Every structure is written in structure tokens, then in C-alpha cells.
Amino acid sequence: MKLISLVLLCAGAAMHLYAGTSGILEGTVKDRRTGELLPGVNVVIVGLQRGGTTDTAGHYLVQNVRAGRYDVRMTHVGYRPAMIRGVTIHPDLRTRLHALLEPADVSLEEMVIIQEKPLIQRDVTGTTYTLSVEETDVLPIDNAVEALRFKPGVTAEGNIRGGKTSEVLYLVDGLPVQDVLSGGLSAKLPNSSITGMSIYTGGFEAEYGNALSGVVNIVTRTGSDDHRFFARGDHDHLFGGMQNSKATEFEVSGSGPVVGNELYYLAAVQGLYADTRWWQEFQHAVPSPVERTLNAFGKIDYLFTPSFRVSVQGLLSDHRWRDYEFAWRYNLDGLPPQVRTSHRLAVMLSHSVSDGFFYTASLSRYHLRSQIGEGEIDSLAIADPYQYDFFLRYIVDGKRSWWSRSTQESYTGRFDGTFKVNNDHMVKFGAELTLYHLEADVVKYEPRKTYFGKPLVNEPQLNFSSAYAYRPSSGSVYVQSKTDVPAEGILLNAGVRYDFLAPTAERPNIEAIPLADTAYTFVLTGTVPASFKQQISPRLGAALQIAERGYLFVNLGWYFQYPLFQYLYTGLDRVALARGISAITGNPDLEPERTKVWELALKYTLPLDIVASVTYFRKESTNLVDTKTFVPGDSKLAGGFGFAEYVNNPYGEARGLEFVITRNRGEWVTGELSYTYMVAEGVSGSSSDGFYVAQYGLPPGRRVYPLSWDQRHTVKGTLILTPVPSVTVSSVLEWHSGRPYTHYPTSTGFETINGGVFVQNNERMPQYANVDLRVEHVFRPSWWPESAMTLYMDCRNVLNERNVAWMDSNGRIGGELGDPSGYHIGRRTSLGLKVEF
């Protein structure tokens, strides 16, 4: 009954929060000569047919403006018209635009003003970065989301402030594009369909949930009154040689009106064909291309009135590839091909009811299908595993025993409302309901190995097979208050969020019966229904003006994330579970993972439009997921004699300092330079740590140790130069001190040297350094008006540094075989052409 009541409550609230895709434009208009506030000034956002009029105090406010860049026109009888170009509206933020109008006795030509981005954005009290498409387009990145790794506190793999990569929530127009089984981003968009992006690496407000470390919200473009078309193509193998991936990429898009001032369209398609960095070996084993990606996005917007908009959008992402493993280099066709296809259909409604209230609502269906292996499940050669060479180094025959088909469907309803109490106080509230349909059929066998990677060929294989079908549901309600006290220079944020999860599954009740000192047998005595999970998460923040150019930001929040559904459901309905055959078993009674975060930041504006900031943060995480293995530590027996179950045990902690100098606006040079000192520690580095430690016969971890992504010292720099208006040069520098690895040497691959003590992550790899470069030259041919051609060169790892990716327990880069994947990818250079018209 509790679940039914909550579902009805959320449905009655018109469903879930439509997370940040719109903002607010507000400000004042004054007489340039006298400084008097002007009432009755018409303020119009060009291309949106939206606007307002200044009141008796000269103040105007336009709510529910979709994020993007716009021109704003201001007109008043007796004054020269003004056009402010390049006004950027960011999601969830208030853009303040104060204008001065020039008195005029006769009609004069319109005055054009270029809007400059505010140096310090005080609306959001946690660490937030807002990027426009103009900023991401000139950086040496493949897609807009890659800009995340250039921000302070973020690793190249996407760990934010000491958290796991799966702790980041990815949204497109406020709707999740998550893999709820395995974690991470499950779809990508063509760059030309994106207008901007918000990145939250610190405390985020109550409208965002189910994330422990950060949120990335991508906002898509909308068609305008003019037809605009775009085409792009590049290739990295124009000059031959070995430093390429034989990659070819293309992208086309178009947008514009279908019915003037009412119906608009946007369509974009991007494709990639590549043979990967391993093409020299793949070319002898599998057909080209080894990797294929297709991303497409389409949208139709209909304006019933300037304040009432309905949008229908479709998203498609298809990725087909093969993984490369050096041990399989003589048998690469034995590795299974993989496919991941996702699509989403969404209907979104946006309505400004009055100057004081607007709301957004949406309904969506998201489908993700993952496939590993070809043919039917019966074609898998389980009883005949692949063969190693005499020295147990390379796999020379056979196919990997891995076949998988999984499907994720989510149906989400969202509602979000914003109410203006007065000019200084706003309240935002929302609700959500998501219904899931999850199915998986996995057959996976892996040979037992020693900790040092040597296969135990005479031991039975580990069985990771599973099959399940479940229909869980989740939902939330939230309220967020934002109060601005300009006279005191104070802004206060306060919010609270309630979330629930109904696992709709049963947990197996397993009794362990000792057989001997080194083994157990297990008896399935019944099942226990998984409990209903719920969480209340308060969020608090404040911005205080401590000087004319300085602000102090304080933020404190409690955050949560539901465990990945594979941790809940893996192996539950296998009949073999009663015999203890499944290697890892899910636990539908896992509690949400929880984190308490607080941060303190000081920002100050310096001459030349430079902003300096220092931020201290601390995160304490509990209920993180690991595995508890029901097999003695001195035994390598599992499968038929034991199993592991996901449990809530580990503790994690991250703390650090971020020093940042930023110049976001300037005539010819902009950029950012940051230094981060960070400590990321815990008692478990992954959800399977406990399982593998027990399988290797090693003692379980009982101490807090540096996690594998613990980058103590990190320096990042982004530099964008525009020496002449038609040329842009951008460069990105990344340097960090060595990451931890476990030094536990062996001479045979089966036993440690002189009985060494196993201590996780007790040594560090060499430092990492990388420089990327991009150069663009824009041509505007006189024979093709309203067009622009851009020739660009994109070079990654310009200095061709051999940066270490991993080391084995002996401290050898790439392990015993000298695996080249022990180093990050070397220099890659591509040339491309963009055409806009």
C-alpha cells in the first residue's frame, strides 16, 4: 500500500522534475545620461517571440527561457533602440542583463552591444561550470562531454573528486541517459545538436538526485527563424604512418522553421568508422572497420503561443565494436563482438502561466539493448575453453565463453514548477516517477587465475552466468528555495529531496554448512522479500559578498545513489544457486549508497577579467557496494563450493583543495589554469574487490588505502588564442603525479617472492603528462554569402609522451608480455573541414 500511495502521489503531481533546461533573464533599464530607471521599456528575445516590459522600478523578468545564446532587443519611445548580442541563458541560472538606453530626439540607427559573460555566477552555491557550444567547439575533444575531464578535481576517466565513474549522473535535456545495469553514459549526441552543458562537481541542488559525485546536464539546440545547415568531416590517416587509428568521422545537421513563428525543426547525424589504435593487428583477423558509431538526434518544437511550447524529440545511439586484449593477439577473432543500441522518445511541455509561475513537464521512453557475442546461446563452446600456449602467456585457439543479451526500458514522467514569490525569492519544486523493465540473459565463464594473472588450467572455470527479468520502480519529490538579499550581499539556497526505490524482488536466504576447514556447502532455505528503500536528502548553500569583487560560497549536502541493478539481480533466479555454483550473486536488499559533502570556496575578481578561486571540499561515503565471499581466505575454491554476494560495507573518503585562475572573456586570449591537491581513500576500490581477493587466497582488506584514481597532485591548463578573428588556437595541458598500484612481486606467476605481504596500492606509477592542440582557420567566401568554411587540425598527445596506464605486481609496465596497452595512446592527428551555411 505504501508503494501504491507513493506512485499515485507522484502521478498526481504530473510526475518528475524536468531538470534544468531553462533559465531566467532579468535586469533593469536606465537612462544613460541621467541614470534614472525607465518604466515601459519593451524587452524582446529575438527568435523566441518572448519578452516583457519594465515595471515602475525599471525592472523586467522573462522566465522559462530555454538555455542557449540569443540576441535581446530593447525599445522605448524617445530612446535609441538597443540590440544586445550573444546573451547566454544557462539552465537553472538567472542571467542578469542591465542596460542603458541613449535618449534620441529623432529615430536613429539601432545601437548594437555585445553581451559579456558574468565573471562570477553566484546563483549556484556549489561548484558548477557552464559551457556553451562556442566554447566546446574549439577545444581538442571528440564530443562535448569530454570537456568534463579538463575541470579541476576530475580524472581523465571521469572520476569526480575521488568518486567512482559510476557515481556521475548524465542528463540530456534533463532526462537521464544512464546504463542502470552497468553504469555510465549510455548514449551520445552529435555535437551540432548541443547548445550548452552544465557540469556540477560540487554540491548540487535538490532537483538532482541518484548521484554521489557529480551531474552533467546537456541541453540541445532548438530551430530558429532561419534555416541553418552544417557539415563536417575529418580523417586521421591522410599522411600514412603508424600514429593513427584509421578513423573517419562525419556529421551533418539542419535546423529552421517549418511554419514561421510556430513550428521549428532540428536534425543531426554523426558517424565514426575506425580500426582503433590496434589496427595493425586487427587487420589480419577481423574485417574493417573494427568500431562503428552512429548518433542521431531530432526535434520538433511547436509554439502554440509565445509562452506555451511543446517539443517532441528522438535520440538514437548505436555502437558496434570489438575489444582488444594483448594476450589474444594471435587469436583476435576469438574475442566476441559487442553491440550497444539505445533510443529515446520524449514529449516535453513548457508553459509560462504568468510572470510569477512557469512549469515544465515531460514523458519519455528510453530503451537500451546490449549484446555480446554472435549467434544463439547454444553456439557457445562452454565445455571447450580456449587454449594457451606452452608458457601460459598467449591464447592461441578457441573463443571466449561470453554471450550476453540485456535490455533496459525506462518509462519516466516528470514535472517541475518554478514560482516567483518576489524579485528576491524563488521556489522550485518537482516530482518524478520511473518504471523500469529489466531483462538479462548472460552466459559467462572465466578461467581461474592467480593474482599475478597466470591461468589455473586444471581448475574448473568460474561461472558468472545469470538470467533475470524484473520491474522495479523509483520516484522522488523535492522542493528548493532560493533567496537573494542584495542589500546584504547574501544568497541562500535550501532544499530537501525525498526518493524511493521499490526493488520488487526477493533475496535468497542461504545457510552455509561447513564441510571441512577449507570449504562450505550452501543450502537455499527460502527467500526474503527485498524491503522498500527511501531516503531524505537535505541540501544547504549560501553565497556571501565579502568584498566589492569577492564572494564566499558555503555548501553542505547529503546525496545518495541506488546501487546498479546488476548488483541487485545478478544470479538470483538460477536453479544452480542452491548448489552454490554462481560465482557472484545479487542482493536486492542493498541499501542506497550515501555521501555527505561539504565545500567552502572563495572567489575573487582580478584585473583583466581574471577570476581566482580556492575551494576546499570533503566527502564521506558509506554503504558503498562490495562483495562478501563465502569461502575461506586460504582456499581457491569457489563455484561449486562457494559464492560471493554483493553487500553494503566499504567506506570511502575524499578531501582536497582546488586552486583555479580563469579568464572567460577577452579580446584574444581566454583560458583556465588549475591545481588540485586531493586524497581519495577507501577500504574497497570496486564492487568485486572482496570476491577476487578471496579467490586469490589473499587476506581481506582491513585498512583504508589510496584508491586507484587517487591523484594527489594535478595541474590542468586550457588556453584559447585568437591572434586574428579568423584563426583560433586551443591547447590543453594535463599533468598529474603517479597513481597507486599494488606491488606484490612474483617470479613464477603463482607465488609471491619470499612470502611478501599483500598490501593494496602500496606503490605509485610514474607521473602523467599530456598536451593536446587544435588549430582552426575560418574562411568566408565572397561567392557564397552567409556561409563559413573552417579548416582545422586536431592533434592529441602532441609530444607523443609514453604515459603509463598500468603496471603489474612486479612493477613492469604492461606486465610480463610488455602489453602496449600499459601505455596510454600516442600521438594522433586528424584534419577536417566544417561548412556552415
Side-chain angles (χ1 to χ4, degrees):
M1 288 301 296
K2 183 187 294 185
L3 172 60
I4 294 174
S5 299
L6 282 169
V7 170
L8 292 176
L9 170 64
C10 291
M15 304 182 183
H16 178 76
L17 145 78
Y18 181 33
T21 60
S22 61
I24 293 173
L25 177 66
E26 64 175 347
T28 57
V29 184
K30 295 181 179 180
D31 185 301
R32 177 181 291 274
R33 296 179 183 174
T34 66
E36 295 180 356
L37 293 164
L38 296 177
V41 177
N42 290 319
V43 180
V44 177
I45 302 176
V46 179
L48 287 186
Q49 292 78 50
R50 297 286 313 283
T53 305
T54 57
D55 57 20
T56 56
H59 180 268
Y60 69 92
L61 182 143
V62 186
Q63 298 204 72
N64 197 22
V65 183
R66 184 169 181 81
R69 288 174 65 90
Y70 303 98
D71 295 338
V72 177
R73 179 179 288 113
M74 296 184 177
T75 58
H76 190 50
V77 176
Y79 288 83
R80 184 178 179 182
M83 174 75 80
I84 298 92
R85 298 195 181 278
V87 178
T88 301
I89 305 296
H90 294 292
D92 296 325
L93 300 181
R94 301 169 73 159
T95 299
R96 291 177 173 85
L97 178 62
H98 303 294
L100 300 173
L101 295 187
E102 185 77 32
D105 297 329
V106 296
S107 177
L108 294 176
E109 187 175 309
E110 186 173 73
M111 179 171 57
V112 177
I113 305 169
I114 304 299
Q115 163 70 0
E116 293 184 325
K117 186 176 180 179
L119 295 177
I120 297 179
Q121 182 64 255
R122 56 190 290 269
D123 287 48
V124 179
T125 53
T127 303
T128 305
Y129 303 96
T130 54
L131 298 172
S132 66
V133 64
E134 289 79 10
E135 294 171 294
T136 58
D137 265 359
V138 298
L139 294 175
I141 54 179
D142 293 323
N143 59 78
V145 176
E146 282 190 24
L148 172 66
R149 68 184 175 93
F150 301 148
K151 296 304 174 184
V154 183
T155 69
E157 291 75 22
N159 306 90
I160 295 180
R161 287 186 173 176
K164 300 176 183 177
T165 56
S166 59
E167 296 175 359
V168 182
L169 174 65
Y170 293 93
L171 307 168
V172 172
D173 287 338
L175 296 169
V177 282
Q178 296 285 104
D179 184 338
V180 297
L181 291 179
S182 304
L185 179 66
S186 61
K188 293 182 180 180
L189 277 76
N191 291 339
S192 58
S193 67
I194 297 173
T195 189
M197 180 171 59
S198 296
I199 299 172
Y200 302 83
T201 64
F204 36 92
E205 297 178 357
E207 66 174 290
Y208 297 105
N210 202 23
L212 294 182
S213 294
V215 176
V216 178
N217 185 23
I218 302 168
V219 181
T220 61
R221 287 199 305 121
T222 298
S224 62
D225 290 332
D226 298 320
H227 291 283
R228 302 298 301 173
F229 301 97
F230 170 87
R232 175 178 66 88
D234 63 38
H235 188 59
D236 73 347
H237 194 215
L238 293 174
F239 304 109
M242 306 295 287
Q243 293 179 357
N244 63 80
S245 299
K246 288 195 172 181
T248 302
E249 187 174 7
F250 72 89
E251 184 174 355
V252 294
S253 67
S255 64
V258 178
V259 178
N261 299 329
E262 292 184 7
L263 188 64
Y264 300 89
Y265 75 94
L266 168 72
V269 177
Q270 177 259 337
L272 170 69
Y273 298 91
D275 285 337
T276 77
R277 64 184 287 195
W278 315 110
W279 62 268
Q280 295 96 327
E281 297 189 14
F282 267 128
Q283 66 182 345
H284 303 298
V286 298
S288 177
V290 177
E291 179 181 12
R292 290 177 292 171
T293 300
L294 179 68
N295 300 311
F297 182 81
K299 177 197 287 189
I300 292 290
D301 287 275
Y302 184 73
L303 278 67
F304 287 90
T305 68
S307 62
F308 188 84
R309 176 190 296 262
V310 174
S311 176
V312 179
Q313 63 172 239
L315 166 66
L316 171 66
S317 186
D318 183 81
H319 186 201
R320 300 167 185 266
W321 77 102
R322 286 178 182 264
D323 284 334
Y324 175 87
E325 294 185 31
F326 193 66
W328 288 74
R329 62 181 306 193
Y330 301 115
N331 187 31
L332 287 174
D333 58 351
L335 294 172
Q338 302 188 47
V339 179
R340 175 182 291 236
T341 303
S342 63
H343 60 265
R344 185 179 79 186
L345 179 65
V347 180
M348 304 176 181
L349 182 149
S350 177
H351 185 199
S352 298
V353 179
S354 66
D355 289 341
F357 177 69
F358 71 90
Y359 68 88
T360 55
S362 67
L363 292 171
S364 69
R365 174 185 180 270
Y366 186 59
H367 178 95
L368 171 62
R369 177 174 173 79
S370 299
Q371 174 179 316
I372 299 174
E374 297 174 310
E376 298 300 322
I377 192 170
D378 297 336
S379 63
L380 199 64
I382 298 172
D384 185 21
Y386 42 85
Q387 304 298 312
Y388 284 86
D389 65 4
F390 178 79
F391 298 101
L392 301 180
R393 295 178 303 179
Y394 296 101
I395 297 163
V396 295
D397 191 25
K399 294 184 179 295
R400 168 162 285 171
S401 301
W402 191 7
W403 185 97
S404 173
R405 302 291 185 270
S406 65
T407 302
Q408 308 171 38
E409 283 189 1
S410 59
Y411 299 85
T412 303
R414 299 176 172 271
F415 177 84
D416 169 84
T418 300
F419 177 67
K420 173 189 172 186
V421 180
N422 54 50
N423 286 340
D424 301 322
H425 186 198
M426 303 191 72
V427 176
K428 195 171 185 178
F429 57 91
E432 97 171 56
L433 177 65
T434 302
L435 306 176
Y436 302 95
H437 182 194
L438 310 173
E439 293 186 357
D441 191 0
V442 180
V443 177
K444 184 179 181 181
Y445 289 82
E446 290 187 355
R448 300 175 195 269
K449 294 182 179 180
T450 68
Y451 175 79
F452 313 105
K454 283 292 188 180
L456 301 170
V457 293
N458 296 321
E459 297 286 346
Q461 296 188 90
L462 291 173
N463 182 2
F464 293 91
S465 302
S466 178
Y468 56 80
Y470 289 98
R471 295 178 179 268
S473 61
S474 66
S476 72
V477 292
Y478 85 96
V479 62
Q480 180 79 37
S481 173
K482 186 172 295 188
T483 304
D484 196 356
V485 189
E488 303 294 333
I490 298 175
L491 184 139
L492 299 175
N493 276 332
V496 63
R497 182 182 178 94
Y498 169 80
D499 292 85
F500 73 85
L501 171 67
T504 63
E506 294 184 333
R507 176 175 57 83
N509 189 20
I510 301 172
E511 181 179 354
I513 302 175
L515 289 178
D517 293 337
T518 60
Y520 290 106
T521 187
F522 298 91
V523 178
L524 181 63
T525 60
T527 58
V528 179
S531 62
F532 182 87
K533 305 298 188 302
Q534 52 190 334
Q535 161 111 0
I536 295 178
S537 307
R539 317 278 172 86
L540 303 170
L544 301 88
Q545 187 169 7
I546 58 175
E548 182 181 356
R549 296 184 174 184
Y551 287 89
L552 178 68
F553 295 87
V554 182
N555 201 85
L556 173 64
W558 285 260
Y559 305 90
F560 79 100
Q561 186 171 20
Y562 301 128
L564 297 173
F565 283 119
Q566 73 169 0
Y567 301 157
L568 272 63
Y569 302 134
T570 294
L572 286 190
D573 58 352
R574 282 281 173 185
V575 176
L577 177 62
R579 301 193 301 270
I581 293 179
S582 297
I584 299 183
T585 302
N587 181 0
D589 229 5
L590 287 174
E591 292 289 331
E593 299 174 296
R594 294 181 171 91
T595 293
K596 182 175 74 172
V597 180
W598 71 274
E599 65 174 330
L600 184 67
L602 177 64
K603 296 184 180 182
Y604 199 87
T605 303
L606 302 174
L608 302 177
D609 293 333
I610 295 174
V611 175
S613 69
V614 56
T615 303
Y616 174 78
F617 65 88
R618 185 181 182 90
K619 298 170 57 176
E620 296 178 358
S621 301
T622 57
N623 275 357
L624 300 179
V625 176
D626 196 1
T627 41
K628 181 179 180 181
T629 303
F630 295 88
V631 62
D634 63 349
S635 170
K636 297 181 178 62
L637 300 177
F641 297 94
F643 76 103
E645 183 182 44
Y646 289 110
V647 294
N648 293 110
N649 265 336
Y651 167 84
E653 180 181 299
R655 59 191 182 277
L657 279 168
E658 296 172 354
F659 299 89
V660 187
I661 296 176
T662 305
R663 190 173 193 253
N664 281 328
R665 64 191 196 196
E667 291 185 359
W668 65 277
V669 58
T670 58
E672 181 177 271
L673 178 65
S674 69
Y675 164 75
T676 301
Y677 171 78
M678 182 174 63
V679 176
E681 297 179 325
V683 297
S684 174
S686 75
S687 60
S688 56
D689 262 15
F691 171 75
Y692 284 108
V693 167
Q695 294 303 312
Y696 298 139
L698 300 171
R702 293 188 177 90
R703 71 177 187 98
V704 174
Y705 62 87
L707 300 174
S708 298
W709 51 89
D710 177 66
Q711 292 181 188
R712 292 295 168 92
H713 305 279
T714 305
V715 176
K716 297 184 180 182
T718 302
L719 181 66
I720 301 175
L721 300 174
T722 311
V724 295
S726 61
V727 176
T728 301
V729 180
S730 66
S731 180
V732 176
L733 163 71
E734 298 172 90
W735 174 91
H736 64 75
S737 56
R739 294 181 182 174
Y741 79 99
T742 302
H743 187 237
Y744 187 54
T746 176
S747 58
T748 64
F750 292 91
E751 296 178 351
T752 186
I753 294 178
N754 299 325
V757 178
F758 177 73
V759 180
Q760 287 175 280
N761 285 350
N762 56 343
E763 296 287 349
R764 290 188 176 263
M765 296 185 290
Q767 64 184 14
Y768 172 98
N770 182 70
V771 177
D772 296 337
L773 178 70
R774 183 182 176 99
V775 181
E776 291 190 354
H777 189 185
V778 181
F779 304 89
R780 299 186 182 276
S782 58
W783 48 268
W784 194 358
E786 300 296 324
S787 69
M789 298 182 180
T790 303
L791 182 66
Y792 63 89
M793 180 194 72
D794 193 320
C795 185
R796 311 294 171 84
N797 193 358
V798 175
L799 304 178
N800 201 27
E801 293 281 353
R802 288 173 60 81
N803 290 307
V804 177
W806 63 272
M807 301 171 69
D808 72 0
S809 62
N810 282 327
R812 296 174 298 199
I813 300 172
E816 177 188 9
L817 304 179
D819 187 343
S821 70
Y823 293 96
H824 289 282
I825 194 167
R827 183 190 295 122
R828 293 292 186 272
T829 304
S830 62
L831 294 179
L833 178 67
K834 296 190 294 187
V835 180
E836 301 174 78
F837 60 96

